[in-house]
Amino acid sequence: MMTRLPGLCAATLSLMLAVVAMAPPPASAQDDNVTSRERILRDPEIPPLGNPDGDVTIVEWFDYQCPYCKTLSPELEKIIKEDGKVRLVLKDWPILGPPSPEASRLVIAAKYQGKFEAAHKALMTRVGRLTSGTLEEALTKAGVDVARAKSDLEAHKADIDALLARNNEQAEALGFNSTPSFIVGTFRIPGVMKPELFKLAIADARAKAKEDDKAGKGGAKPSGKAKPAKSPSKTKEAPAK
């Protein structure tokens, strides 16, 4: 039985956490399943930020026009930096209309020139309405060669389109319907959460991973169904399916 997290404001009363313990499928099955634990936590097409070798992974589905994503971004960055052992996976989910898809594609393409993180931060910290013109201006100021990014986007169009399709399929499979949405370890967080509760979720994810290692479970897949949640420091595991 899991109960709602305490301390949430009225705007986030719908926040849920869920985790389901299950043995991971064979590697071959995971390769073919875009909603597998490995594909969700370790998509090879997404450069991880934070500590790439961290013991806890946070996955964020976001949109560059999402005000809540922008507000939370520096707070989450601070938490990850202070912790030192958190790996961050950013999943572009451009659901708020133009120019979000264009922004996502250009930032992903910037990885081919080693500017993924710089491009992401440039758009997350930009104040004001996002347009094609302001998008390119912000990327240029961040040191991104926009002309090259467009060329790389064309050259890798199939891979980038496939990545965005995977991100969308995973978000829908997990029951997310807005940005930002998160996975912290194997905890599912479909909504905005206060920084202090992120720290608790990270601690809980770390503790659960150690418990799973001792029990020989080998990991858990994030649940596609939410259960009422309580404080991460006391979260109990949902029954395995």
Side-chain angles (χ1 to χ4, degrees):
M1 185 73 179
M2 303 169 74
T3 57
R4 180 170 54 81
L5 284 164
L8 295 180
C9 65
T12 58
L13 288 180
S14 61
L15 176 64
M16 303 290 185
L17 292 177
V19 61
V20 171
M22 57 185 293
S28 58
Q30 293 211 36
D31 289 343
D32 296 334
N33 181 8
V34 300
T35 59
S36 71
R37 180 175 183 271
E38 279 303 301
R39 278 299 189 100
I40 290 173
L41 300 181
R42 300 181 180 276
D43 193 309
E45 294 296 324
I46 303 176
L49 305 183
N51 182 345
D53 299 316
D55 60 352
V56 171
T57 296
I58 294 178
V59 185
E60 178 184 4
W61 281 261
F62 69 94
D63 186 299
Y64 285 114
Q65 295 189 95
C66 168
Y68 303 106
C69 301
K70 292 191 173 205
T71 298
L72 184 61
S73 182
E75 296 175 346
L76 185 57
E77 182 180 357
K78 181 181 178 182
I79 291 170
I80 291 172
K81 184 176 181 180
E82 290 176 348
D83 183 281
K85 296 180 180 179
V86 174
R87 180 174 170 274
L88 177 63
V89 176
L90 297 168
K91 291 187 181 280
D92 288 83
W93 194 24
I95 58 175
L96 298 179
S100 291
E102 178 185 1
S104 291
R105 285 180 166 83
L106 280 176
V107 171
I108 295 170
K111 74 177 182 177
Y112 298 107
Q113 55 182 284
K115 295 289 186 178
F116 176 77
E117 184 172 8
H120 174 75
K121 286 185 177 181
L123 297 192
M124 274 298 174
T125 57
R126 190 189 177 282
V127 178
R129 184 169 174 264
L130 192 64
T131 66
S132 294
T134 58
L135 160 62
E136 293 187 13
E137 178 184 357
L139 293 180
T140 298
K141 286 182 178 180
V144 177
D145 183 336
V146 175
R148 177 179 170 182
K150 289 181 177 180
S151 177
D152 286 334
L153 174 56
E154 187 62 29
H156 299 277
K157 185 177 185 302
D159 290 337
I160 292 173
D161 286 349
L163 171 59
L164 291 174
R166 279 198 302 278
N167 291 351
N168 182 71
E169 184 174 347
Q170 291 165 354
E172 291 182 347
L174 289 165
F176 296 149
N177 55 28
S178 63
T179 56
S181 290
F182 300 89
I183 294 294
V184 179
T186 53
F187 294 110
R188 172 184 173 278
I189 305 173
V192 180
M193 191 159 71
K194 293 180 179 180
E196 59 268 27
L197 294 181
F198 257 113
K199 292 179 182 180
L200 290 174
I202 291 169
D204 246 25
R206 189 167 280 140
K208 184 181 183 305
K210 290 180 181 179
E211 290 175 2
D212 286 349
D213 285 342
K214 289 181 181 179
K217 291 182 180 180
K221 178 181 176 180
S223 170
K225 294 183 179 180
K227 303 261 181 144
K230 67 180 178 181
S231 173
S233 62
K234 297 180 181 179
T235 300
K236 293 183 180 179
E237 185 178 355
K241 295 184 178 179

